[in-house]
PDB file of all heavy atoms in Angstrom:
ATOM      1  N   LEU A  12    -237.006 -11.884  41.922  1.00 89.00           N
ATOM      2  CA  LEU A  12    -237.692 -11.115  40.896  1.00 89.00           C
ATOM      3  C   LEU A  12    -238.482 -11.985  39.906  1.00 89.00           C
ATOM      4  O   LEU A  12    -239.587 -11.583  39.512  1.00 89.00           O
ATOM      5  CB  LEU A  12    -236.675 -10.259  40.142  1.00 89.00           C
ATOM      6  CG  LEU A  12    -236.062  -9.100  40.928  1.00 89.00           C
ATOM      7  CD1 LEU A  12    -235.035  -8.344  40.090  1.00 89.00           C
ATOM      8  CD2 LEU A  12    -237.137  -8.133  41.428  1.00 89.00           C
ATOM      9  N   PRO A  13    -237.972 -13.122  39.436  1.00 91.00           N
ATOM     10  CA  PRO A  13    -238.765 -13.916  38.475  1.00 91.00           C
ATOM     11  C   PRO A  13    -240.174 -14.271  38.949  1.00 91.00           C
ATOM     12  O   PRO A  13    -241.141 -14.207  38.176  1.00 91.00           O
ATOM     13  CB  PRO A  13    -237.920 -15.183  38.277  1.00 91.00           C
ATOM     14  CG  PRO A  13    -236.508 -14.715  38.520  1.00 91.00           C
ATOM     15  CD  PRO A  13    -236.631 -13.706  39.643  1.00 91.00           C
ATOM     16  N   GLU A  14    -240.290 -14.604  40.250  1.00 90.00           N
ATOM     17  CA  GLU A  14    -241.608 -14.912  40.797  1.00 90.00           C
ATOM     18  C   GLU A  14    -242.541 -13.691  40.749  1.00 90.00           C
ATOM     19  O   GLU A  14    -243.722 -13.807  40.402  1.00 90.00           O
ATOM     20  CB  GLU A  14    -241.485 -15.412  42.240  1.00 90.00           C
ATOM     21  CG  GLU A  14    -242.802 -15.870  42.844  1.00 90.00           C
ATOM     22  CD  GLU A  14    -242.630 -16.381  44.255  1.00 90.00           C
ATOM     23  OE1 GLU A  14    -241.485 -16.592  44.687  1.00 90.00           O
ATOM     24  OE2 GLU A  14    -243.677 -16.565  44.932  1.00 90.00           O
ATOM     25  N   ILE A  15    -242.003 -12.525  41.085  1.00 92.00           N
ATOM     26  CA  ILE A  15    -242.797 -11.279  41.015  1.00 92.00           C
ATOM     27  C   ILE A  15    -243.179 -10.986  39.578  1.00 92.00           C
ATOM     28  O   ILE A  15    -244.319 -10.606  39.298  1.00 92.00           O
ATOM     29  CB  ILE A  15    -241.969 -10.109  41.631  1.00 92.00           C
ATOM     30  CG1 ILE A  15    -241.778 -10.325  43.126  1.00 92.00           C
ATOM     31  CG2 ILE A  15    -242.692  -8.781  41.339  1.00 92.00           C
ATOM     32  CD1 ILE A  15    -240.863  -9.330  43.786  1.00 92.00           C
ATOM     33  N   ILE A  16    -242.252 -11.153  38.628  1.00 91.00           N
ATOM     34  CA  ILE A  16    -242.517 -10.915  37.231  1.00 91.00           C
ATOM     35  C   ILE A  16    -243.624 -11.824  36.732  1.00 91.00           C
ATOM     36  O   ILE A  16    -244.558 -11.397  36.045  1.00 91.00           O
ATOM     37  CB  ILE A  16    -241.233 -11.109  36.388  1.00 91.00           C
ATOM     38  CG1 ILE A  16    -240.238  -9.972  36.713  1.00 91.00           C
ATOM     39  CG2 ILE A  16    -241.572 -11.099  34.890  1.00 91.00           C
ATOM     40  CD1 ILE A  16    -238.848 -10.245  36.190  1.00 91.00           C
ATOM     41  N   ASP A  17    -243.550 -13.138  37.078  1.00 88.00           N
ATOM     42  CA  ASP A  17    -244.588 -14.090  36.657  1.00 88.00           C
ATOM     43  C   ASP A  17    -245.950 -13.667  37.190  1.00 88.00           C
ATOM     44  O   ASP A  17    -246.982 -13.783  36.523  1.00 88.00           O
ATOM     45  CB  ASP A  17    -244.233 -15.502  37.147  1.00 88.00           C
ATOM     46  CG  ASP A  17    -243.062 -16.105  36.371  1.00 88.00           C
ATOM     47  OD1 ASP A  17    -242.761 -15.581  35.274  1.00 88.00           O
ATOM     48  OD2 ASP A  17    -242.450 -17.042  36.890  1.00 88.00           O
ATOM     49  N   SER A  18    -245.964 -13.186  38.436  1.00 90.00           N
ATOM     50  CA  SER A  18    -247.227 -12.769  39.063  1.00 90.00           C
ATOM     51  C   SER A  18    -247.823 -11.568  38.319  1.00 90.00           C
ATOM     52  O   SER A  18    -249.039 -11.531  38.063  1.00 90.00           O
ATOM     53  CB  SER A  18    -246.959 -12.399  40.534  1.00 90.00           C
ATOM     54  OG  SER A  18    -248.110 -11.813  41.118  1.00 90.00           O
ATOM     55  N   ILE A  19    -246.987 -10.593  37.973  1.00 88.00           N
ATOM     56  CA  ILE A  19    -247.479  -9.419  37.235  1.00 88.00           C
ATOM     57  C   ILE A  19    -247.963  -9.805  35.859  1.00 88.00           C
ATOM     58  O   ILE A  19    -249.035  -9.345  35.409  1.00 88.00           O
ATOM     59  CB  ILE A  19    -246.355  -8.346  37.140  1.00 88.00           C
ATOM     60  CG1 ILE A  19    -246.014  -7.815  38.528  1.00 88.00           C
ATOM     61  CG2 ILE A  19    -246.787  -7.193  36.221  1.00 88.00           C
ATOM     62  CD1 ILE A  19    -244.801  -6.910  38.560  1.00 88.00           C
ATOM     63  N   VAL A  20    -247.225 -10.642  35.143  1.00 87.00           N
ATOM     64  CA  VAL A  20    -247.627 -11.090  33.826  1.00 87.00           C
ATOM     65  C   VAL A  20    -248.960 -11.827  33.880  1.00 87.00           C
ATOM     66  O   VAL A  20    -249.846 -11.630  33.030  1.00 87.00           O
ATOM     67  CB  VAL A  20    -246.541 -11.988  33.181  1.00 87.00           C
ATOM     68  CG1 VAL A  20    -247.049 -12.653  31.909  1.00 87.00           C
ATOM     69  CG2 VAL A  20    -245.281 -11.171  32.870  1.00 87.00           C
ATOM     70  N   ALA A  21    -249.116 -12.691  34.881  1.00 89.00           N
ATOM     71  CA  ALA A  21    -250.372 -13.429  35.024  1.00 89.00           C
ATOM     72  C   ALA A  21    -251.547 -12.461  35.244  1.00 89.00           C
ATOM     73  O   ALA A  21    -252.617 -12.628  34.700  1.00 89.00           O
ATOM     74  CB  ALA A  21    -250.266 -14.413  36.192  1.00 89.00           C
ATOM     75  N   THR A  22    -251.335 -11.417  36.062  1.00 87.00           N
ATOM     76  CA  THR A  22    -252.384 -10.444  36.312  1.00 87.00           C
ATOM     77  C   THR A  22    -252.735  -9.666  35.060  1.00 87.00           C
ATOM     78  O   THR A  22    -253.893  -9.377  34.793  1.00 87.00           O
ATOM     79  CB  THR A  22    -251.920  -9.475  37.412  1.00 87.00           C
ATOM     80  OG1 THR A  22    -251.586 -10.198  38.593  1.00 87.00           O
ATOM     81  CG2 THR A  22    -253.054  -8.481  37.744  1.00 87.00           C
ATOM     82  N   CYS A  23    -251.715  -9.361  34.239  1.00 84.00           N
ATOM     83  CA  CYS A  23    -251.946  -8.602  33.005  1.00 84.00           C
ATOM     84  C   CYS A  23    -252.825  -9.373  32.027  1.00 84.00           C
ATOM     85  O   CYS A  23    -253.416  -8.775  31.142  1.00 84.00           O
ATOM     86  CB  CYS A  23    -250.610  -8.275  32.354  1.00 84.00           C
ATOM     87  SG  CYS A  23    -249.657  -7.018  33.209  1.00 84.00           S
ATOM     88  N   GLN A  24    -252.891 -10.674  32.189  1.00 81.00           N
ATOM     89  CA  GLN A  24    -253.674 -11.484  31.254  1.00 81.00           C
ATOM     90  C   GLN A  24    -255.119 -11.666  31.724  1.00 81.00           C
ATOM     91  O   GLN A  24    -255.907 -12.351  31.076  1.00 81.00           O
ATOM     92  CB  GLN A  24    -253.010 -12.837  31.070  1.00 81.00           C
ATOM     93  CG  GLN A  24    -251.661 -12.722  30.351  1.00 81.00           C
ATOM     94  CD  GLN A  24    -250.853 -13.999  30.380  1.00 81.00           C
ATOM     95  OE1 GLN A  24    -251.130 -14.902  31.195  1.00 81.00           O
ATOM     96  NE2 GLN A  24    -249.865 -14.104  29.500  1.00 81.00           N
ATOM     97  N   LYS A  25    -255.469 -11.035  32.854  1.00 82.00           N
ATOM     98  CA  LYS A  25    -256.825 -11.130  33.385  1.00 82.00           C
ATOM     99  C   LYS A  25    -257.629  -9.883  32.991  1.00 82.00           C
ATOM    100  O   LYS A  25    -257.070  -8.819  32.756  1.00 82.00           O
ATOM    101  CB  LYS A  25    -256.798 -11.257  34.917  1.00 82.00           C
ATOM    102  CG  LYS A  25    -256.129 -12.542  35.399  1.00 82.00           C
ATOM    103  CD  LYS A  25    -256.082 -12.613  36.913  1.00 82.00           C
ATOM    104  CE  LYS A  25    -255.408 -13.883  37.408  1.00 82.00           C
ATOM    105  NZ  LYS A  25    -255.329 -13.911  38.878  1.00 82.00           N
ATOM    106  N   GLU A  26    -258.939 -10.035  32.986  1.00 75.00           N
ATOM    107  CA  GLU A  26    -259.828  -8.916  32.595  1.00 75.00           C
ATOM    108  C   GLU A  26    -259.781  -7.778  33.615  1.00 75.00           C
ATOM    109  O   GLU A  26    -260.089  -6.624  33.276  1.00 75.00           O
ATOM    110  CB  GLU A  26    -261.264  -9.413  32.471  1.00 75.00           C
ATOM    111  CG  GLU A  26    -261.482 -10.318  31.267  1.00 75.00           C
ATOM    112  CD  GLU A  26    -262.934 -10.717  31.096  1.00 75.00           C
ATOM    113  OE1 GLU A  26    -263.762 -10.272  31.934  1.00 75.00           O
ATOM    114  OE2 GLU A  26    -263.249 -11.473  30.141  1.00 75.00           O
ATOM    115  N   THR A  27    -259.389  -8.075  34.839  1.00 78.00           N
ATOM    116  CA  THR A  27    -259.352  -7.044  35.864  1.00 78.00           C
ATOM    117  C   THR A  27    -258.181  -6.075  35.699  1.00 78.00           C
ATOM    118  O   THR A  27    -258.129  -5.045  36.338  1.00 78.00           O
ATOM    119  CB  THR A  27    -259.270  -7.670  37.266  1.00 78.00           C
ATOM    120  OG1 THR A  27    -258.177  -8.598  37.275  1.00 78.00           O
ATOM    121  CG2 THR A  27    -260.563  -8.388  37.610  1.00 78.00           C
ATOM    122  N   CYS A  28    -257.229  -6.449  34.833  1.00 78.00           N
ATOM    123  CA  CYS A  28    -256.090  -5.568  34.562  1.00 78.00           C
ATOM    124  C   CYS A  28    -256.377  -4.690  33.358  1.00 78.00           C
ATOM    125  O   CYS A  28    -256.652  -5.179  32.273  1.00 78.00           O
ATOM    126  CB  CYS A  28    -254.832  -6.408  34.318  1.00 78.00           C
ATOM    127  SG  CYS A  28    -253.366  -5.442  33.876  1.00 78.00           S
ATOM    128  N   LEU A  29    -256.351  -3.378  33.554  1.00 76.00           N
ATOM    129  CA  LEU A  29    -256.518  -2.450  32.426  1.00 76.00           C
ATOM    130  C   LEU A  29    -255.162  -2.268  31.764  1.00 76.00           C
ATOM    131  O   LEU A  29    -254.250  -1.674  32.342  1.00 76.00           O
ATOM    132  CB  LEU A  29    -257.077  -1.114  32.927  1.00 76.00           C
ATOM    133  CG  LEU A  29    -258.458  -1.154  33.573  1.00 76.00           C
ATOM    134  CD1 LEU A  29    -258.872   0.196  34.094  1.00 76.00           C
ATOM    135  CD2 LEU A  29    -259.481  -1.657  32.575  1.00 76.00           C
ATOM    136  N   SER A  30    -255.030  -2.746  30.564  1.00 73.00           N
ATOM    137  CA  SER A  30    -253.744  -2.722  29.876  1.00 73.00           C
ATOM    138  C   SER A  30    -253.929  -2.513  28.403  1.00 73.00           C
ATOM    139  O   SER A  30    -255.022  -2.665  27.835  1.00 73.00           O
ATOM    140  CB  SER A  30    -252.966  -4.030  30.137  1.00 73.00           C
ATOM    141  OG  SER A  30    -253.688  -5.096  29.540  1.00 73.00           O
ATOM    142  N   HIS A  31    -252.834  -2.178  27.732  1.00 72.00           N
ATOM    143  CA  HIS A  31    -252.783  -2.135  26.265  1.00 72.00           C
ATOM    144  C   HIS A  31    -251.635  -3.033  25.835  1.00 72.00           C
ATOM    145  O   HIS A  31    -250.513  -2.565  25.625  1.00 72.00           O
ATOM    146  CB  HIS A  31    -252.619  -0.730  25.732  1.00 72.00           C
ATOM    147  CG  HIS A  31    -252.493  -0.661  24.237  1.00 72.00           C
ATOM    148  ND1 HIS A  31    -253.569  -0.853  23.418  1.00 72.00           N
ATOM    149  CD2 HIS A  31    -251.422  -0.475  23.446  1.00 72.00           C
ATOM    150  CE1 HIS A  31    -253.165  -0.772  22.156  1.00 72.00           C
ATOM    151  NE2 HIS A  31    -251.865  -0.550  22.145  1.00 72.00           N
ATOM    152  N   ILE A  32    -251.914  -4.316  25.752  1.00 69.00           N
ATOM    153  CA  ILE A  32    -250.887  -5.270  25.352  1.00 69.00           C
ATOM    154  C   ILE A  32    -251.245  -5.726  23.918  1.00 69.00           C
ATOM    155  O   ILE A  32    -252.112  -6.550  23.701  1.00 69.00           O
ATOM    156  CB  ILE A  32    -250.854  -6.477  26.307  1.00 69.00           C
ATOM    157  CG1 ILE A  32    -250.572  -5.948  27.721  1.00 69.00           C
ATOM    158  CG2 ILE A  32    -249.812  -7.479  25.901  1.00 69.00           C
ATOM    159  CD1 ILE A  32    -250.726  -7.008  28.824  1.00 69.00           C
ATOM    160  N   SER A  33    -250.605  -5.100  22.970  1.00 72.00           N
ATOM    161  CA  SER A  33    -250.983  -5.320  21.573  1.00 72.00           C
ATOM    162  C   SER A  33    -249.814  -4.896  20.677  1.00 72.00           C
ATOM    163  O   SER A  33    -249.073  -3.974  21.022  1.00 72.00           O
ATOM    164  CB  SER A  33    -252.215  -4.467  21.239  1.00 72.00           C
ATOM    165  OG  SER A  33    -252.445  -4.436  19.864  1.00 72.00           O
ATOM    166  N   PRO A  34    -249.663  -5.534  19.541  1.00 65.00           N
ATOM    167  CA  PRO A  34    -248.640  -5.073  18.571  1.00 65.00           C
ATOM    168  C   PRO A  34    -248.991  -3.735  17.940  1.00 65.00           C
ATOM    169  O   PRO A  34    -248.133  -3.064  17.363  1.00 65.00           O
ATOM    170  CB  PRO A  34    -248.599  -6.213  17.524  1.00 65.00           C
ATOM    171  CG  PRO A  34    -249.924  -6.851  17.618  1.00 65.00           C
ATOM    172  CD  PRO A  34    -250.327  -6.751  19.067  1.00 65.00           C
ATOM    173  N   GLU A  35    -250.277  -3.348  18.042  1.00 69.00           N
ATOM    174  CA  GLU A  35    -250.716  -2.065  17.463  1.00 69.00           C
ATOM    175  C   GLU A  35    -250.357  -0.925  18.395  1.00 69.00           C
ATOM    176  O   GLU A  35    -250.578  -0.998  19.616  1.00 69.00           O
ATOM    177  CB  GLU A  35    -252.228  -2.092  17.214  1.00 69.00           C
ATOM    178  CG  GLU A  35    -252.648  -3.123  16.186  1.00 69.00           C
ATOM    179  CD  GLU A  35    -252.015  -2.887  14.823  1.00 69.00           C
ATOM    180  OE1 GLU A  35    -251.740  -1.721  14.499  1.00 69.00           O
ATOM    181  OE2 GLU A  35    -251.811  -3.863  14.090  1.00 69.00           O
ATOM    182  N   LEU A  36    -249.805   0.158  17.874  1.00 76.00           N
ATOM    183  CA  LEU A  36    -249.390   1.311  18.670  1.00 76.00           C
ATOM    184  C   LEU A  36    -250.617   2.096  19.168  1.00 76.00           C
ATOM    185  O   LEU A  36    -251.619   2.224  18.464  1.00 76.00           O
ATOM    186  CB  LEU A  36    -248.499   2.214  17.849  1.00 76.00           C
ATOM    187  CG  LEU A  36    -247.119   1.632  17.484  1.00 76.00           C
ATOM    188  CD1 LEU A  36    -246.371   2.600  16.538  1.00 76.00           C
ATOM    189  CD2 LEU A  36    -246.292   1.367  18.721  1.00 76.00           C
ATOM    190  N   ILE A  37    -250.474   2.589  20.377  1.00 82.00           N
ATOM    191  CA  ILE A  37    -251.486   3.467  20.957  1.00 82.00           C
ATOM    192  C   ILE A  37    -250.997   4.917  20.800  1.00 82.00           C
ATOM    193  O   ILE A  37    -249.779   5.154  20.678  1.00 82.00           O
ATOM    194  CB  ILE A  37    -251.691   3.117  22.449  1.00 82.00           C
ATOM    195  CG1 ILE A  37    -252.989   3.681  22.994  1.00 82.00           C
ATOM    196  CG2 ILE A  37    -250.497   3.538  23.308  1.00 82.00           C
ATOM    197  CD1 ILE A  37    -253.373   3.125  24.357  1.00 82.00           C
ATOM    198  N   PRO A  38    -251.894   5.905  20.766  1.00 87.00           N
ATOM    199  CA  PRO A  38    -251.411   7.287  20.674  1.00 87.00           C
ATOM    200  C   PRO A  38    -250.425   7.632  21.765  1.00 87.00           C
ATOM    201  O   PRO A  38    -250.531   7.144  22.898  1.00 87.00           O
ATOM    202  CB  PRO A  38    -252.705   8.105  20.812  1.00 87.00           C
ATOM    203  CG  PRO A  38    -253.757   7.207  20.323  1.00 87.00           C
ATOM    204  CD  PRO A  38    -253.348   5.845  20.729  1.00 87.00           C
ATOM    205  N   SER A  39    -249.464   8.472  21.431  1.00 91.00           N
ATOM    206  CA  SER A  39    -248.379   8.809  22.351  1.00 91.00           C
ATOM    207  C   SER A  39    -248.598  10.179  23.005  1.00 91.00           C
ATOM    208  O   SER A  39    -248.813  11.166  22.309  1.00 91.00           O
ATOM    209  CB  SER A  39    -247.033   8.827  21.554  1.00 91.00           C
ATOM    210  OG  SER A  39    -246.036   9.538  22.247  1.00 91.00           O
ATOM    211  N   ARG A  40    -248.503  10.187  24.336  1.00 93.00           N
ATOM    212  CA  ARG A  40    -248.622  11.471  25.045  1.00 93.00           C
ATOM    213  C   ARG A  40    -247.486  12.421  24.674  1.00 93.00           C
ATOM    214  O   ARG A  40    -247.710  13.637  24.542  1.00 93.00           O
ATOM    215  CB  ARG A  40    -248.597  11.226  26.561  1.00 93.00           C
ATOM    216  CG  ARG A  40    -249.801  10.440  27.065  1.00 93.00           C
ATOM    217  CD  ARG A  40    -249.717  10.199  28.575  1.00 93.00           C
ATOM    218  NE  ARG A  40    -249.861  11.447  29.305  1.00 93.00           N
ATOM    219  CZ  ARG A  40    -249.661  11.547  30.593  1.00 93.00           C
ATOM    220  NH1 ARG A  40    -249.307  10.496  31.294  1.00 93.00           N
ATOM    221  NH2 ARG A  40    -249.818  12.705  31.216  1.00 93.00           N
ATOM    222  N   GLN A  41    -246.301  11.879  24.486  1.00 95.00           N
ATOM    223  CA  GLN A  41    -245.177  12.714  24.102  1.00 95.00           C
ATOM    224  C   GLN A  41    -245.403  13.343  22.716  1.00 95.00           C
ATOM    225  O   GLN A  41    -245.129  14.525  22.483  1.00 95.00           O
ATOM    226  CB  GLN A  41    -243.871  11.896  24.099  1.00 95.00           C
ATOM    227  CG  GLN A  41    -242.614  12.712  23.783  1.00 95.00           C
ATOM    228  CD  GLN A  41    -241.364  11.885  23.877  1.00 95.00           C
ATOM    229  OE1 GLN A  41    -241.392  10.715  24.323  1.00 95.00           O
ATOM    230  NE2 GLN A  41    -240.244  12.445  23.486  1.00 95.00           N
ATOM    231  N   ALA A  42    -245.923  12.527  21.781  1.00 95.00           N
ATOM    232  CA  ALA A  42    -246.217  13.043  20.453  1.00 95.00           C
ATOM    233  C   ALA A  42    -247.319  14.113  20.479  1.00 95.00           C
ATOM    234  O   ALA A  42    -247.249  15.091  19.754  1.00 95.00           O
ATOM    235  CB  ALA A  42    -246.647  11.889  19.519  1.00 95.00           C
ATOM    236  N   VAL A  43    -248.304  13.923  21.360  1.00 96.00           N
ATOM    237  CA  VAL A  43    -249.375  14.942  21.499  1.00 96.00           C
ATOM    238  C   VAL A  43    -248.811  16.231  21.980  1.00 96.00           C
ATOM    239  O   VAL A  43    -249.163  17.308  21.461  1.00 96.00           O
ATOM    240  CB  VAL A  43    -250.468  14.406  22.469  1.00 96.00           C
ATOM    241  CG1 VAL A  43    -251.377  15.540  22.914  1.00 96.00           C
ATOM    242  CG2 VAL A  43    -251.306  13.313  21.800  1.00 96.00           C
ATOM    243  N   ARG A  44    -247.900  16.196  22.927  1.00 96.00           N
ATOM    244  CA  ARG A  44    -247.268  17.440  23.421  1.00 96.00           C
ATOM    245  C   ARG A  44    -246.460  18.107  22.305  1.00 96.00           C
ATOM    246  O   ARG A  44    -246.457  19.333  22.172  1.00 96.00           O
ATOM    247  CB  ARG A  44    -246.341  17.139  24.629  1.00 96.00           C
ATOM    248  CG  ARG A  44    -247.116  16.762  25.885  1.00 96.00           C
ATOM    249  CD  ARG A  44    -246.248  16.845  27.122  1.00 96.00           C
ATOM    250  NE  ARG A  44    -245.190  15.838  27.105  1.00 96.00           N
ATOM    251  CZ  ARG A  44    -245.329  14.614  27.636  1.00 96.00           C
ATOM    252  NH1 ARG A  44    -246.475  14.254  28.173  1.00 96.00           N
ATOM    253  NH2 ARG A  44    -244.328  13.768  27.614  1.00 96.00           N
ATOM    254  N   GLU A  45    -245.792  17.315  21.500  1.00 96.00           N
ATOM    255  CA  GLU A  45    -245.032  17.876  20.377  1.00 96.00           C
ATOM    256  C   GLU A  45    -245.985  18.498  19.344  1.00 96.00           C
ATOM    257  O   GLU A  45    -245.687  19.572  18.812  1.00 96.00           O
ATOM    258  CB  GLU A  45    -244.149  16.799  19.722  1.00 96.00           C
ATOM    259  CG  GLU A  45    -243.269  17.369  18.630  1.00 96.00           C
ATOM    260  CD  GLU A  45    -242.313  16.379  18.017  1.00 96.00           C
ATOM    261  OE1 GLU A  45    -242.272  15.225  18.499  1.00 96.00           O
ATOM    262  OE2 GLU A  45    -241.630  16.742  17.058  1.00 96.00           O
ATOM    263  N   ILE A  46    -247.089  17.831  19.071  1.00 97.00           N
ATOM    264  CA  ILE A  46    -248.079  18.407  18.129  1.00 97.00           C
ATOM    265  C   ILE A  46    -248.572  19.742  18.617  1.00 97.00           C
ATOM    266  O   ILE A  46    -248.644  20.722  17.852  1.00 97.00           O
ATOM    267  CB  ILE A  46    -249.247  17.423  17.928  1.00 97.00           C
ATOM    268  CG1 ILE A  46    -248.809  16.241  17.077  1.00 97.00           C
ATOM    269  CG2 ILE A  46    -250.442  18.124  17.285  1.00 97.00           C
ATOM    270  CD1 ILE A  46    -249.782  15.091  17.044  1.00 97.00           C
ATOM    271  N   LEU A  47    -248.909  19.832  19.912  1.00 97.00           N
ATOM    272  CA  LEU A  47    -249.411  21.075  20.482  1.00 97.00           C
ATOM    273  C   LEU A  47    -248.352  22.178  20.401  1.00 97.00           C
ATOM    274  O   LEU A  47    -248.632  23.344  20.083  1.00 97.00           O
ATOM    275  CB  LEU A  47    -249.857  20.886  21.917  1.00 97.00           C
ATOM    276  CG  LEU A  47    -251.140  20.044  22.095  1.00 97.00           C
ATOM    277  CD1 LEU A  47    -251.390  19.776  23.565  1.00 97.00           C
ATOM    278  CD2 LEU A  47    -252.319  20.731  21.444  1.00 97.00           C
ATOM    279  N   SER A  48    -247.116  21.837  20.688  1.00 96.00           N
ATOM    280  CA  SER A  48    -246.038  22.818  20.612  1.00 96.00           C
ATOM    281  C   SER A  48    -245.873  23.355  19.194  1.00 96.00           C
ATOM    282  O   SER A  48    -245.775  24.561  18.971  1.00 96.00           O
ATOM    283  CB  SER A  48    -244.715  22.181  21.082  1.00 96.00           C
ATOM    284  OG  SER A  48    -243.632  23.045  20.904  1.00 96.00           O
ATOM    285  N   ARG A  49    -245.910  22.466  18.215  1.00 95.00           N
ATOM    286  CA  ARG A  49    -245.742  22.881  16.832  1.00 95.00           C
ATOM    287  C   ARG A  49    -247.003  23.612  16.321  1.00 95.00           C
ATOM    288  O   ARG A  49    -246.881  24.529  15.513  1.00 95.00           O
ATOM    289  CB  ARG A  49    -245.420  21.667  15.951  1.00 95.00           C
ATOM    290  CG  ARG A  49    -244.034  21.092  16.218  1.00 95.00           C
ATOM    291  CD  ARG A  49    -243.735  19.904  15.335  1.00 95.00           C
ATOM    292  NE  ARG A  49    -242.401  19.406  15.569  1.00 95.00           N
ATOM    293  CZ  ARG A  49    -241.275  19.849  15.003  1.00 95.00           C
ATOM    294  NH1 ARG A  49    -241.344  20.868  14.158  1.00 95.00           N
ATOM    295  NH2 ARG A  49    -240.105  19.318  15.268  1.00 95.00           N
ATOM    296  N   MET A  50    -248.164  23.214  16.778  1.00 97.00           N
ATOM    297  CA  MET A  50    -249.392  23.942  16.414  1.00 97.00           C
ATOM    298  C   MET A  50    -249.362  25.376  16.908  1.00 97.00           C
ATOM    299  O   MET A  50    -249.774  26.308  16.220  1.00 97.00           O
ATOM    300  CB  MET A  50    -250.624  23.213  16.941  1.00 97.00           C
ATOM    301  CG  MET A  50    -251.061  22.026  16.107  1.00 97.00           C
ATOM    302  SD  MET A  50    -251.659  22.448  14.459  1.00 97.00           S
ATOM    303  CE  MET A  50    -253.186  23.298  14.804  1.00 97.00           C
ATOM    304  N   ARG A  51    -248.862  25.571  18.146  1.00 96.00           N
ATOM    305  CA  ARG A  51    -248.770  26.933  18.660  1.00 96.00           C
ATOM    306  C   ARG A  51    -247.779  27.771  17.851  1.00 96.00           C
ATOM    307  O   ARG A  51    -247.990  28.975  17.636  1.00 96.00           O
ATOM    308  CB  ARG A  51    -248.326  26.906  20.146  1.00 96.00           C
ATOM    309  CG  ARG A  51    -249.383  26.379  21.082  1.00 96.00           C
ATOM    310  CD  ARG A  51    -248.906  26.468  22.517  1.00 96.00           C
ATOM    311  NE  ARG A  51    -249.045  27.828  23.027  1.00 96.00           N
ATOM    312  CZ  ARG A  51    -248.315  28.333  23.989  1.00 96.00           C
ATOM    313  NH1 ARG A  51    -247.323  27.633  24.511  1.00 96.00           N
ATOM    314  NH2 ARG A  51    -248.517  29.539  24.440  1.00 96.00           N
TER     315      ARG A  51
END
């Protein structure tokens, strides 16, 4: 597993990997569903 993990981490650091690796939070799909439920 460590070798596989290193490979995935290395890929995540390339431009070809679409990722959100950041200390800043991204909007939450779960929170959006809760907002819609409460809005209804």
Side-chain angles (χ1 to χ4, degrees):
L12 291 178
E14 184 179 348
I15 293 173
I16 292 167
D17 289 342
S18 172
I19 294 171
V20 169
T22 303
C23 288
Q24 294 169 342
K25 296 178 180 178
E26 291 183 0
T27 52
C28 176
L29 298 176
S30 64
H31 176 74
I32 302 171
S33 168
E35 296 299 331
L36 292 174
I37 197 168
S39 161
R40 294 180 67 188
Q41 184 176 352
V43 165
R44 291 195 293 270
E45 184 176 356
I46 286 169
L47 291 174
S48 175
R49 291 181 179 275
M50 280 293 291
R51 290 184 80 208

